[in-house]
Amino acid sequence: MKHAHLAAVAAISITAALSANSAQAEDLTLCWAAWDPANALVELSKDFEAQSGHKMSFEFVPWPNFADRMLNELNSGGQLCDLMIGDSQWIGGAAENGWYVKLNDFFDANGIKMDDFIDATVTGYAEWPKNTPNYWALPAFGDVVGWTYRKDWFERPEIQTAFKEKYGRDLAVPKTFAELKDIAEFFQKREIDGKTVYGASIYTERGSEGITMGAMDVLYSFGFKYENPDKPYDMEGYVNGPGAVAGLEYYKALYDCCVAPGTSNTYMSEGIDAFKSGQVALQMNFAFTWPGFETDMDVGRGKTGYFANPAGPDGEQFAQLGGQGISVVAASSKQDAALEYIKWFAQPDVQAKWWSMGGFSCLKAVTLAPDFPQSQPYAQTFLDSMAIVKDFWAEPSYATLLQDAQKRFHDYVVAGQGTSQEALDGLVADWTETFEDEGKL
């Protein structure tokens, strides 16, 4: 009982500290995207309200409009948001434009150590410049592109037999992208339970970031690099090298062979719908979708399996990072109270509860706990995936860089214009122009 007593004392101390820090109760507004994890955070935050006396309000914007709406808010110096859970790619612009409060001194004063968080999330969500100890956010929601599959279909004896007859190997979770394509082709237009099903749901959305997140998720493992590791912004032969070209050709081939009709503009929500409705055998999507599948009436209860992004032809294995950090908005007049929220949110017991509610904690005390891999059917896949992440440019000009990628990838993969080499050569030209305009080249 000693530990329980200590925990109780600690909880009282934390409550007292939070209360002492709040000279007056304030209304705080937290801004984020409108999705299931945000609903879980509303519930979690009731504990903060009870402890601190502050009242939490929330502004949630659907993903397709999230960046435009919130970046406009930050850029205009608006005071709608006291706390922002902003996308990982915003961190460069937010730091350089003074939109977020730098958190180093606050972390030091409160014993919050970035070493306690998954390394990739610190780099991806908190740091600017990258790989320097300059922190503008606390890692809040770990996310990564991975795959779900219809485990119940894979386990059917007649399907296993048919697959082995065709491919000479057992039907199992793919270890390589080549194996994944075989599986997608095998299920494409197959009849299961009297219904025609399709191979895979992949990202093809043109308007925001969808097809870039999907294509990059494949290109990394084929050898794509954003720049020469020894010479920043030197992209020739890295963005458009032979491996990257082969990777984009693969992504188009997967689109051409193995998706459902009418899926030329799909992203997260369309993938969720396709998988839950039994339309596809494989689905590319961010990890945030996984808790919802486990509780779904049609694909829950053991029918869904999870696997990390497979390896490319040379054995390289990476995955596209998603997720966000939580920041204090520099224009807020309630920064002290907002910092209290971050201090509360960083606590190990709060992070453990966050995971149990469907939030993806980035705290090592949670994710490296001995019982974590057994805590959810997807927990080990989350760990495996977070160990291999890469992220898109986090440059202040990321929005322009992203628009270029969206157009080049969609024109080639979905519209069938030109070749993979031409698409990536064009992307190098686009990105070079942006960096030249900024004086970085």
Side-chain angles (χ1 to χ4, degrees):
M1 294 300 291
K2 188 176 179 185
H3 296 298
H5 172 70
L6 287 173
V9 171
I12 292 166
S13 302
I14 290 162
T15 305
L18 286 168
S19 301
N21 285 347
S22 48
Q24 63 185 73
E26 296 192 271
D27 292 347
L28 291 173
T29 299
L30 185 152
C31 296
W32 199 11
W35 58 335
D36 286 347
N39 301 328
L41 189 65
V42 173
E43 288 303 306
L44 183 72
S45 298
K46 289 176 181 176
D47 293 346
F48 172 75
E49 290 182 316
Q51 290 181 23
S52 69
H54 300 308
K55 185 177 186 314
M56 296 297 297
S57 298
F58 300 89
E59 185 75 20
F60 298 146
V61 178
W63 272 113
N65 313 108
F66 178 54
D68 283 348
R69 174 73 180 84
M70 290 308 168
L71 290 173
N72 285 338
E73 174 69 20
L74 291 168
N75 195 35
S76 67
Q79 294 196 321
L80 168 66
C81 312
D82 303 299
L83 291 151
M84 176 75 75
I85 302 184
D87 227 349
S88 56
Q89 292 102 337
W90 304 0
I91 202 79
E96 295 195 9
N97 295 317
W99 296 340
Y100 291 166
V101 173
K102 191 175 183 182
L103 296 174
N104 288 56
D105 291 346
F106 170 75
F107 287 165
D108 290 344
N110 290 279
I112 297 171
K113 298 179 176 65
M114 288 294 97
D115 288 349
D116 291 341
F117 292 83
I118 296 171
D119 298 350
T121 68
V122 175
T123 304
Y125 310 156
E127 289 178 354
W128 190 262
K130 294 298 179 189
N131 303 307
T132 71
N134 294 282
Y135 305 121
W136 307 88
L138 180 93
F141 188 88
D143 207 357
V144 57
V145 177
W147 295 81
T148 50
Y149 71 100
R150 285 301 298 266
K151 191 163 175 271
D152 54 335
W153 294 355
F154 276 47
E155 290 170 350
R156 293 190 184 188
E158 70 276 14
I159 288 177
Q160 290 180 340
T161 300
F163 185 87
K164 192 159 190 175
E165 284 176 357
K166 184 169 185 179
Y167 294 99
R169 67 174 193 273
D170 291 334
L171 176 59
V173 167
K175 292 184 173 61
T176 66
F177 274 111
E179 290 179 358
L180 186 147
K181 186 164 177 283
D182 286 346
I183 294 169
E185 287 181 309
F186 172 78
F187 277 103
Q188 183 72 1
K189 296 185 179 177
R190 181 167 291 272
E191 188 170 301
I192 296 179
D193 298 335
K195 180 180 174 182
T196 301
V197 304
Y198 300 91
S201 170
I202 63 174
Y203 293 160
T204 58
E205 183 261 1
R206 170 73 177 85
S208 62
E209 63 175 18
I211 197 166
T212 300
M213 296 294 101
M216 289 301 188
D217 195 53
V218 171
L219 264 62
Y220 297 140
S221 298
F222 277 75
F224 173 101
K225 291 182 175 62
Y226 285 101
E227 56 193 341
N228 181 341
D230 300 318
K231 189 178 177 186
Y233 309 111
D234 174 21
M235 295 171 285
E236 189 64 44
Y238 294 90
V239 168
N240 59 347
V245 170
L248 192 57
E249 286 173 349
Y250 172 93
Y251 200 72
K252 176 169 175 53
L254 190 62
Y255 173 75
D256 288 343
C257 78
C258 302
V259 301
T263 53
S264 61
N265 191 35
T266 59
Y267 197 18
M268 297 178 283
S269 60
E270 291 84 4
I272 293 169
D273 292 344
F275 193 75
K276 282 186 176 180
S277 65
Q279 190 177 34
V280 294
L282 301 167
Q283 183 221 193
M284 160 192 277
N285 220 330
F286 283 105
F288 86 87
T289 62
W290 300 346
F293 296 136
E294 283 302 305
T295 58
D296 186 75
M297 293 297 293
D298 295 318
V299 298
R301 301 186 304 280
K303 293 179 181 177
T304 296
Y306 309 88
F307 62 93
N309 224 24
D314 297 327
E316 288 194 296
Q317 187 177 13
F318 297 102
Q320 174 60 49
L321 181 70
Q324 301 87 34
I326 183 168
S327 301
V328 175
V329 177
S332 168
S333 61
K334 304 170 186 174
Q335 291 181 13
D336 288 346
L339 289 167
E340 278 184 59
Y341 184 91
I342 289 184
K343 181 179 178 180
W344 166 81
F345 186 70
Q347 296 170 82
D349 59 332
V350 175
Q351 286 292 305
K353 188 172 182 180
W354 180 222
W355 168 253
S356 73
M357 296 174 73
F360 281 73
S361 175
C362 305
L363 190 69
K364 291 176 182 174
V366 175
T367 63
L368 299 183
D371 59 349
F372 182 82
Q374 289 76 45
S375 64
Q376 294 288 351
Y378 48 79
Q380 187 62 55
T381 301
F382 175 66
L383 286 181
D384 294 343
S385 299
M386 290 304 292
I388 58 171
V389 290
K390 291 193 175 205
D391 199 14
F392 190 76
W393 295 108
E395 294 280 328
S397 56
Y398 105 92
T400 301
L401 302 169
L402 181 60
Q403 288 167 357
D404 293 335
Q406 285 287 103
K407 183 178 191 313
R408 295 290 181 181
F409 290 154
H410 201 274
D411 285 353
Y412 169 67
V413 172
V414 175
Q417 297 175 14
T419 66
S420 174
Q421 185 72 62
E422 289 166 347
L424 292 171
D425 287 349
L427 192 55
V428 170
D430 296 338
W431 286 354
T432 298
E433 183 179 347
T434 295
F435 291 132
E436 283 176 347
D437 289 347
E438 294 184 338
K440 292 178 176 175
L441 274 173

